[in-house]
Amino acid sequence: MIDETYAVLAGWDFEMSKKANLDRLRAENFIGAKSVTWLRDVAKVINRRFDPAGRDRPLVHLAKSGCDLAEWKPILLWHMTRDEFLVRDFLQNWLYPAYEDGAFRIRPDDVLSYLAEIDKRGAQMEHAWTEATTKRVASGLLRIAADFGLVRGGGIKEFASYHLPERSFLYLLHALRDQRITPAKITSASDWRLFLMVPSDVEQEIYRLHQFKKLDYQVAGSIVHLSLPCESSAGYAERMVA
């Protein structure tokens, strides 16, 4: 629901409550949903995933200001996985290790053993999944990875040559600093696994941005200094679309 989410948040009214915005979406269908059922599902997902007036406000501001979709998508992925345990855990703790291990082709059946242990990993489940449900979830997780450009292909997926856009990367640096992750630990933050980035990839990109004077990064032994363009991710979001 990437395009639908972008359209809903682009039309969000900060002067109205979340309920009022979603009621307007259902009444006006300003995103052009093809059926009442699909419109209802979109509203349900938005309601569950996002807090537009709070921590997800920068994401909404970017959509309302016409942020390029290629830059917005990875920021969306980071925001939506803060509460989406299954998607986040799958990307960080199954897809990323598979990528690191050099996997070439990935099939939904490869994900089944991971899903068989998902309740032991901390997932809260109302009841045990049937075999059909488990296979549907496995396919759905790989489809989400494909939607965000991490893999490509039909039933059998292959890893894509993914590159996190520069301004999306800078936004995420600000967001991690908002969470009080220290500069010394920021390159090894598990969040980068969402984008198939190993710590050396993160550090290399930080050094590149330092060379182009888009941030300041200094390392002296165990002391690491990182100075970013803005005070917060919200401030950087404002700068992205200024």
Side-chain angles (χ1 to χ4, degrees), residues 103 117 199 205 211 221:
E117 303 289 324
E205 181 65 6
Q211 290 174 347

Side-chain angles (χ1 to χ4, degrees), residues 130-237:
T130 64
E131 181 180 354
T133 296
T134 303
K135 289 184 176 182
R136 178 175 57 80
V137 172
S139 296
L141 288 171
L142 289 176
R143 191 161 55 248
I144 288 173
D147 287 345
F148 284 97
L150 304 173
V151 297
R152 61 174 181 266
I156 299 176
K157 300 287 193 288
E158 297 177 0
F159 282 102
S161 179
Y162 182 79
H163 176 71
L164 185 62
E166 179 182 295
R167 297 204 302 174
S168 306
F169 181 86
L170 278 164
Y171 176 90
L172 293 170
L173 282 178
H174 284 84
L176 293 177
R177 189 182 62 182
D178 289 347
Q179 295 184 336
R180 302 185 184 279
I181 296 178
T182 64
K185 295 181 178 180
I186 209 161
T187 58
S188 59
S190 61
D191 303 69
W192 301 113
R193 292 185 171 201
L194 297 171
F195 311 100
L196 305 180
M197 296 183 72
V198 301
S200 60
D201 292 334
V202 179
E203 189 166 42
Q204 181 178 358
E205 181 65 6
I206 290 175
Y207 273 122
R208 188 188 71 82
L209 293 171
H210 170 80
Q211 290 174 347
F212 284 95
K213 302 186 183 303
K214 296 184 178 182
L215 52 74
D216 184 62
Y217 187 63
Q218 306 286 340
V219 180
S222 61
I223 300 175
V224 180
H225 169 78
L226 176 64
S227 179
L228 298 175
C230 300
E231 293 298 319
S232 66
S233 57
Y236 187 71

Side-chain angles (χ1 to χ4, degrees):
M1 293 188 181
I2 296 173
D3 292 338
E4 292 87 348
T5 300
Y6 187 94
V8 172
L9 299 186
W12 202 264
D13 187 342
F14 284 127
E15 299 299 319
M16 297 167 57
S17 68
K18 183 178 184 180
K19 181 180 183 303
N21 272 284
L22 294 177
D23 286 345
R24 182 171 68 88
L25 169 64
R26 297 185 190 96
E28 299 178 10
N29 187 17
F30 56 82
I31 65 171
K34 295 181 179 180
S35 71
V36 174
T37 300
W38 185 241
L39 184 64
R40 180 199 64 199
D41 289 346
V42 170
K44 182 178 179 181
V45 167
I46 297 294
N47 183 56
R48 176 171 55 83
R49 280 183 175 166
F50 302 109
D51 175 18
R55 68 183 190 180
D56 297 314
R57 189 180 181 98
L59 180 71
V60 181
H61 175 73
L62 288 171
K64 287 180 65 64
S65 302
C67 178
D68 183 79
L69 189 61
E71 293 182 322
W72 190 79
K73 280 171 63 174
I75 297 172
L76 167 66
L77 180 60
W78 185 81
H79 274 265
M80 66 177 261
T81 52
R82 295 174 76 179
D83 284 332
E84 289 275 353
F85 171 85
L86 180 57
V87 176
R88 186 179 186 91
D89 189 71
F90 168 72
L91 295 178
Q92 289 184 338
N93 298 312
W94 192 89
L95 193 69
Y96 174 84
Y99 173 76
E100 276 287 270
D101 289 343
F104 181 57
R105 290 188 173 89
I106 305 171
R107 299 169 175 82
D109 284 353
D110 297 333
V111 186
L112 298 181
S113 60
Y114 159 78
L115 291 176
E117 303 289 324
I118 195 64
D119 57 331
K120 298 177 183 178
R121 300 184 60 82
Q124 298 180 2
M125 303 170 65
E126 295 181 0
H127 51 76
W129 289 341
T130 64
E131 181 180 354
T133 296
T134 303
K135 289 184 176 182
R136 178 175 57 80
V137 172
S139 296
L141 288 171
L142 289 176
R143 191 161 55 248
I144 288 173
D147 287 345
F148 284 97
L150 304 173
V151 297
R152 61 174 181 266
I156 299 176
K157 300 287 193 288
E158 297 177 0
F159 282 102
S161 179
Y162 182 79
H163 176 71
L164 185 62
E166 179 182 295
R167 297 204 302 174
S168 306
F169 181 86
L170 278 164
Y171 176 90
L172 293 170
L173 282 178
H174 284 84
L176 293 177
R177 189 182 62 182
D178 289 347
Q179 295 184 336
R180 302 185 184 279
I181 296 178
T182 64
K185 295 181 178 180
I186 209 161
T187 58
S188 59
S190 61
D191 303 69
W192 301 113
R193 292 185 171 201
L194 297 171
F195 311 100
L196 305 180
M197 296 183 72
V198 301
S200 60
D201 292 334
V202 179
E203 189 166 42
Q204 181 178 358
E205 181 65 6
I206 290 175
Y207 273 122
R208 188 188 71 82
L209 293 171
H210 170 80
Q211 290 174 347
F212 284 95
K213 302 186 183 303
K214 296 184 178 182
L215 52 74
D216 184 62
Y217 187 63
Q218 306 286 340
V219 180
S222 61
I223 300 175
V224 180
H225 169 78
L226 176 64
S227 179
L228 298 175
C230 300
E231 293 298 319
S232 66
S233 57
Y236 187 71
E238 294 278 352
R239 177 170 174 163
M240 284 178 68
V241 292

